[in-house]
Amino acid sequence: MMEISSDIPSELAPLAWLIGVWEGTGIVHYNHGETTETLEFGQRISFSHDGLPYLNYTSSTWRLSDGISHVSEMGYWRLSRPATPGDPGPGMLGPVGDRPYRTASEVEELRNKEDGFDVEASIVHPEGVTELYLGQVRQARIDLATDAVVRTAGAKDYAAATRLYGFVEDHLLWAWDIAALGRPLASHASGRLAKVD
């Protein structure tokens, strides 16, 4: 059963089921060139907040075969909406006036025509790739697709991705499709994680 803390910012209520630390396993299976990569991995994901209307996100994985660290990523998730004077930024500029969407009824104003909430996630990989995802959260399911992928000059070819997250039978299930290494969008990795904190 999903438990949601009452001390989160109202704007995070649609994403609150993600908050916590999740651990489990997954599998990578991806064709590139003449090679197919298959790897079982362990994973630890953390979604947290610091009182502001976004989630802090980190993910680290390790190979199950030998425990060696595999890949990691970090980022921020939030409801997608126009910035207001009450929001901080850009840079170190502080807010001017009250923070918007402080009550549940104000957050309901952000509900979209599909009875969900628009979401954006910025995810950074240490290999020189940054992804901006746009999507939707409806109850305990999130569908995301890249709106932009930025790569450094030395990063591998990576063009687009989709991600799916869902809370099913007390587990966080996820799937990730990517378009990379000159290939079209295809299944890449998936995992099943249990809440540990």
Side-chain angles (χ1 to χ4, degrees), residues 9-80:
S10 295
E11 207 168 326
L12 289 181
L15 298 169
W17 55 274
L18 290 168
I19 295 173
V21 178
W22 304 82
E23 273 193 17
T25 61
I27 190 163
V28 171
H29 185 82
Y30 191 74
N31 297 322
H32 50 90
E34 300 295 319
T35 306
T36 299
E37 180 179 355
T38 300
L39 172 76
E40 290 183 90
F41 59 86
Q43 182 178 33
R44 183 178 182 94
I45 288 179
S46 171
F47 287 98
S48 63
H49 73 91
D50 50 15
L52 295 173
Y54 57 82
L55 293 178
N56 304 302
Y57 165 76
T58 60
S59 169
S60 59
T61 62
W62 57 93
R63 298 184 316 209
L64 286 181
S65 61
D66 55 17
I68 292 176
S69 293
H70 186 52
V71 296
S72 64
E73 59 185 21
M74 61 184 293
Y76 300 97
W77 296 44
R78 69 183 194 121
L79 295 187
S80 184

Side-chain angles (χ1 to χ4, degrees), residues 89-119:
M92 295 290 289
L93 296 177
V96 177
D98 292 333
R99 179 173 305 285
Y101 306 104
R102 293 178 295 159
T103 67
S105 61
E106 290 174 333
V107 172
E108 278 299 312
E109 296 172 16
L110 297 173
R111 193 174 288 277
N112 62 30
K113 293 177 183 175
E114 289 80 34
D115 199 32
F117 294 88
D118 295 329
V119 175

